[in-house]
Amino acid sequence: GFAYLLFSTPSGQKIPSIFPTRQIIFPLLLVAISSSLASPFGYASLQHIDYLTFILAKSCKLLPVMVLHLTIFRNGVVLMVTLGVATFSLHHPGTSKKVAAKDQSGSSGWGIFLLSINLLLDGLTNTTQDHVFSSPKLYTRFTGPQMMVAQNVLSTVLTSAYLLIMPHLSQSGILHNLL
C-alpha cells in the first residue's frame, strides 16, 4: 500500500499523510475494524451453509451497502443492480435440481446469521469508505492510496493487539467468566 502511495504521488509533490486530520481517524478505524471482522464471519458461515448459498449472498452484497447508505448517510445506491445479480444467480435450471436433491442441513440458520454479519460488516466498510471519499470538505482530499495504507496500518495494529491480548485473556479465565 505504501509503495502504491509512493508511486502514485506526482513527482515533485510530497507524499500525503495517511492521517491528515484527527477527524478522519474514527472513520478509518471503523473501516479497519469492519473489514478485519468481516472475513472471519464469512469463513465461519461456510461450516454451516453450502457454498452456493454463500456465493449467492455475496453476489447480493449491494443490498447491505444500500441499506447502510440509506440509514447511516441518507444516500441511495442502485437497487436494480442487486436485483439483477440475484435473479441471474437464482435462475440456473440445471443446478436447481441438484441443490434440491442435496442434504438441506447445509443451510442452517446459524450459518445464515454468520453470513448476514459478514455482509453487514462488508456493507459498513464500503459505506464508510464512500462517505470519506464523498466528503472532501469534512475529511480534506483523501485518496484511494491513502485509504489503502491507513486501512492496512490500522488493521495490522488491531490484529496484532488481538493476537497479543487473546492468549492472556483466555488463560486468565476472563473470557470464560464473560461467556
Side-chain angles (χ1 to χ4, degrees), residues 27-139:
L28 292 177
L29 194 58
L30 186 60
V31 167
I33 290 169
S34 62
S35 68
S36 296
L37 290 176
S39 292
F41 280 101
Y43 296 138
S45 73
L46 283 171
Q47 293 177 352
H48 305 282
I49 60 172
D50 57 20
Y51 189 68
L52 183 62
T53 304
F54 180 81
I55 293 300
L56 176 62
K58 292 298 272 184
S59 69
C60 298
K61 186 178 174 177
L62 284 178
L63 283 175
V65 172
M66 181 185 68
V67 168
L68 288 169
H69 267 285
L70 290 172
T71 57
I72 295 176
F73 300 113
R74 309 281 189 252
N75 190 1
V77 177
V78 181
L79 177 63
M80 295 307 290
V81 173
T82 300
L83 291 176
V85 169
T87 303
F88 180 76
S89 298
L90 285 171
H91 183 61
H92 286 292
T95 58
S96 62
K97 292 176 187 170
K98 293 177 194 172
V99 171
K102 186 180 176 186
D103 180 20
Q104 292 300 318
S105 65
S107 294
S108 73
W110 182 247
I112 298 297
F113 174 73
L114 292 172
L115 184 57
S116 298
I117 292 174
N118 169 264
L119 290 173
L120 283 173
L121 289 170
D122 277 347
L124 184 61
T125 299
N126 293 344
T127 301
T128 307
Q129 287 174 333
D130 289 347
H131 174 69
V132 168
F133 290 133
S134 66
S135 304
K137 292 179 182 175
L138 186 60
Y139 301 114

Side-chain angles (χ1 to χ4, degrees), residues 28 31-33 35-36 150-161:
L28 292 177
V31 167
I33 290 169
S35 68
S36 296
Q151 182 177 349
N152 287 338
V153 166
L154 290 172
S155 294
T156 300
V157 168
L158 290 170
T159 304
S160 298

